[in-house]
Amino acid sequence: MKICATHYRTKQASEFTFENGRLVGMRPSKARTNLLYGPGLFDIQCNGFAGIDFNHSDFSVDGLCAAVRAMWRYGTTHVMPTIVTGAPARMAAGMKAIATACKTFPEIRASIPGIHQEGPYFANIEG
């Protein structure tokens, strides 16, 4: 499959060639296109996406994978899933789902450099 797109900053068009969903070639093009390309976006604090709440009691590995894959379609290539302050069991379950997804799916792991944890459970001292 071939796709032509224009770089968002330089305005130079390129033709991208894909095989089996992987980029295998890129060359300059004179084609006119409304598609743009550029660096991927990085969401450093994300509570969920595409109807999936990373802090809901039914949050799962499948939910995280679906959310990350949906983000890819909008240009977000990296995300820090956020686990907000709450019951320790719910927070642990959310972090476990993220860790399991990263261990199981290398493509998901490549998009998640870490977990953003909100809340008072950072230190072992009281303020």
Side-chain angles (χ1 to χ4, degrees), residues 64 68 77-81 98 101-102 107-115:
L64 177 71
V68 170
T77 58
H78 292 84
V79 60
M80 300 259 303
I98 295 165
C102 289
E107 72 279 15
I108 299 299
R109 172 67 191 112
S111 287
I112 299 177
I115 298 172

Coordinates of all heavy atoms in Angstrom, one line a residue, residues 64 68 77-81 98 101-102 107-115:
L64 N -7.0 -1.4 27.9 CA -5.8 -0.5 27.6 C -5.3 -0.7 26.2 O -5.1 0.3 25.5 CB -4.7 -0.9 28.6 CG -3.4 -0.1 28.3 CD1 -3.6 1.3 28.8 CD2 -2.2 -0.8 29.0
V68 N -5.0 2.4 23.5 CA -3.7 2.8 22.9 C -3.8 2.7 21.4 O -3.4 3.6 20.7 CB -2.6 1.9 23.5 CG1 -1.3 2.1 22.7 CG2 -2.3 2.2 24.9
T77 N 1.6 8.5 19.7 CA 2.4 7.4 19.6 C 2.9 6.9 21.0 O 3.3 5.8 21.1 CB 3.6 7.6 18.7 OG1 4.3 8.7 19.2 CG2 3.2 7.9 17.3
H78 N 2.9 7.8 22.0 CA 3.3 7.5 23.3 C 2.3 8.0 24.3 O 1.8 9.1 24.1 CB 4.7 8.0 23.6 CG 5.7 7.3 22.8 ND1 6.0 7.7 21.5 CD2 6.5 6.3 23.0 CE1 6.9 6.9 21.0 NE2 7.3 6.1 21.9
V79 N 2.1 7.3 25.4 CA 1.1 7.7 26.4 C 1.6 7.2 27.8 O 2.2 6.1 27.9 CB -0.3 7.1 26.1 CG1 -0.3 5.6 26.0 CG2 -1.3 7.6 27.0
M80 N 1.3 8.0 28.8 CA 1.6 7.6 30.2 C 0.2 7.4 30.8 O -0.5 8.4 31.2 CB 2.3 8.7 30.9 CG 3.7 8.9 30.4 SD 5.1 8.2 31.2 CE 5.0 8.7 32.8
P81 N -0.3 6.2 30.9 CA -1.6 6.0 31.5 C -1.6 6.5 32.9 O -0.6 6.2 33.6 CB -1.8 4.4 31.4 CG -0.8 4.0 30.4 CD 0.3 4.9 30.4
I98 N -2.0 -2.5 33.3 CA -1.0 -1.8 32.4 C 0.3 -2.6 32.3 O 0.7 -2.9 31.2 CB -0.7 -0.4 33.0 CG1 -2.0 0.5 32.9 CG2 0.4 0.3 32.2 CD1 -1.9 1.8 33.7
A101 N -0.4 -5.8 30.2 CA -0.5 -5.4 28.7 C 0.9 -5.2 28.2 O 1.2 -5.6 27.0 CB -1.3 -4.2 28.6
C102 N 1.8 -4.5 28.9 CA 3.1 -4.2 28.4 C 4.0 -5.4 28.3 O 4.8 -5.5 27.4 CB 3.8 -3.1 29.3 SG 3.1 -1.5 29.2
E107 N 4.1 -4.2 21.1 CA 3.7 -2.9 20.4 C 3.1 -2.0 21.4 O 3.2 -0.7 21.3 CB 2.8 -3.2 19.2 CG 1.4 -3.6 19.5 CD 1.2 -5.1 19.9 OE1 2.2 -5.8 20.1 OE2 0.1 -5.6 19.9
I108 N 2.4 -2.5 22.4 CA 1.8 -1.6 23.5 C 2.9 -1.1 24.3 O 3.0 0.1 24.7 CB 0.7 -2.4 24.3 CG1 -0.4 -2.8 23.3 CG2 0.2 -1.6 25.4 CD1 -1.2 -1.7 22.7
R109 N 3.8 -2.0 24.7 CA 5.0 -1.6 25.6 C 5.8 -0.5 24.9 O 6.2 0.4 25.6 CB 5.9 -2.8 25.8 CG 7.2 -2.5 26.5 CD 6.9 -2.0 28.0 NE 8.1 -1.5 28.6 CZ 8.3 -0.2 28.9 NH1 7.3 0.7 28.6 NH2 9.3 0.3 29.4
A110 N 5.9 -0.5 23.6 CA 6.7 0.5 22.9 C 6.0 1.9 23.0 O 6.7 2.9 22.9 CB 6.9 0.1 21.4
S111 N 4.7 1.9 23.2 CA 4.0 3.1 23.3 C 3.9 3.7 24.8 O 3.4 4.8 25.0 CB 2.6 3.0 22.7 OG 2.7 2.9 21.3
I112 N 4.2 2.9 25.8 CA 4.0 3.2 27.2 C 5.4 3.3 27.9 O 5.9 2.3 28.4 CB 3.1 2.3 27.9 CG1 1.7 2.3 27.2 CG2 2.9 2.6 29.3 CD1 0.7 1.3 27.7
P113 N 6.0 4.5 28.0 CA 7.3 4.6 28.7 C 7.2 4.5 30.2 O 8.2 4.3 30.9 CB 7.8 5.9 28.3 CG 6.6 6.7 27.9 CD 5.6 5.7 27.4
G114 N 6.0 4.6 30.8 CA 5.8 4.5 32.2 C 4.3 4.8 32.6 O 3.5 5.0 31.7
I115 N 4.0 4.7 33.9 CA 2.7 4.9 34.4 C 2.7 6.3 35.2 O 3.7 6.5 36.0 CB 2.3 3.8 35.3 CG1 2.2 2.5 34.6 CG2 0.9 4.1 36.0 CD1 2.0 1.3 35.5

